[in-house]
Amino acid sequence: MLRMALPLALAELGWMAMGVVDTIMAGRLGAAAIGAGSLGSNLFYPIAIFGTGLLAGMDTLVAQSFGAGDARDCRRSLVNGIWLAAGLAAPLALVIWALIPLLRAVGTNPRVMVLLGPYLEALLWGILPLLAYTALRRYLQAVNIVAPITFATVSANILNFAGNWALMFGHWGAPAMGLEGSGWSTTIARIYMAAVLVAAVAWRERKSGNLLFRISWKPDLARLGRLLDLGLPAAMQ
């Protein structure tokens, strides 16, 4: 249990560290940037985490199929998890985007609002890769493959730090975008994390006969419903 859990625990620490690094680096931009970054995170993460929670049902379905030795069914759950992630991305982004004028209407500090809008809009582009990463992660950890998850998260922190350095402050020929640059750096890091796990799944498939690419990729409404039945309580929690 410890051998399986430790890489996942490190991945969770890496997930948290990304936000800590963003906040520390935003400190050089002044109080308004820290305020906008903190407010933006407090708006973005509960809604985004709700979306990732809706994918928690993959833990159950994939692990049960894996334990039963049904490789085809494992992959069907992965395919439908990806469909669910794709379907959730736009509604979640719309909810977050709709909060920006609401905050302005209730009298949020104008200096904060100037920075908050571009920062949140940059983060919105990272919702789909974040959800895709979550679906791929839940599949891999349910079939006892955890090392790529840790690698993706730890290396994404390095990429995010470098992205912040370049895009927030205008180093290495990049434009100095301030807090908005932090949002784009986070989005780039999430695209990278998803890409690493896509590569990990593709590598596994290459070694096991490419079964994933020989099954139907059509959405299975019954399985999507089961995923939502299992995931909704976790998302609410």
Side-chain angles (χ1 to χ4, degrees):
M1 288 178 67
L2 286 173
R3 187 169 60 251
M4 290 177 61
L6 183 59
L8 299 177
L10 292 174
E12 294 297 329
L13 287 174
W15 169 267
M16 296 174 63
M18 196 174 295
V20 173
V21 168
D22 288 346
T23 302
I24 292 172
M25 297 185 77
R28 294 181 58 187
L29 301 174
I34 295 176
S38 299
L39 181 57
S41 296
N42 287 334
L43 293 174
F44 180 88
Y45 283 105
I47 296 170
I49 295 301
F50 176 81
T52 61
L54 287 172
L55 294 161
M58 290 183 65
D59 291 341
T60 301
L61 297 187
V62 177
Q64 287 178 346
S65 300
F66 182 68
D70 192 340
R72 185 176 295 271
D73 201 68
C74 289
R75 287 157 175 80
R76 287 198 189 100
S77 292
L78 171 60
V79 167
N80 284 278
I82 292 172
W83 276 113
L84 181 56
L88 289 170
L92 293 176
L94 183 61
V95 170
I96 296 170
W97 179 78
L99 292 173
I100 298 175
L102 178 61
L103 288 172
R104 190 175 289 110
V106 297
T108 302
N109 187 310
R111 291 177 59 216
V112 169
M113 286 303 305
V114 168
L115 301 174
L116 177 65
Y119 173 65
L120 269 181
E121 288 171 4
L123 287 179
L124 292 183
W125 292 99
I127 288 183
L128 179 57
L130 173 61
L131 294 173
Y133 161 81
T134 302
L136 293 161
R137 170 183 171 163
R138 293 196 180 283
Y139 168 77
L140 287 170
Q141 67 191 31
V143 298
N144 293 347
I145 300 175
V146 293
I149 299 169
T150 305
F151 173 79
T153 310
V154 172
S155 56
N157 270 276
I158 299 171
L159 179 63
N160 183 56
F161 177 85
N164 281 344
W165 182 252
L167 296 175
M168 292 175 75
F169 308 115
H171 295 291
W172 303 326
M177 302 173 70
L179 187 65
E180 181 184 358
S182 176
W184 285 114
S185 177
T186 300
T187 290
I188 292 168
R190 287 177 180 152
I191 294 170
Y192 164 80
M193 290 165 64
V196 169
L197 295 198
V198 166
V201 169
W203 178 258
R204 171 181 168 82
E205 289 302 311
R206 182 181 177 186
K207 294 176 65 177
S208 59
N210 289 316
L211 179 58
L212 179 62
F213 307 111
R214 293 191 282 111
I215 65 172
S216 173
W217 276 67
K218 292 181 180 179
D220 181 341
L221 295 182
R223 193 174 300 251
L224 287 168
R226 181 64 176 146
L227 286 172
L228 289 172
D229 284 342
L230 291 167
L232 184 59
M236 295 299 294
Q237 183 185 12

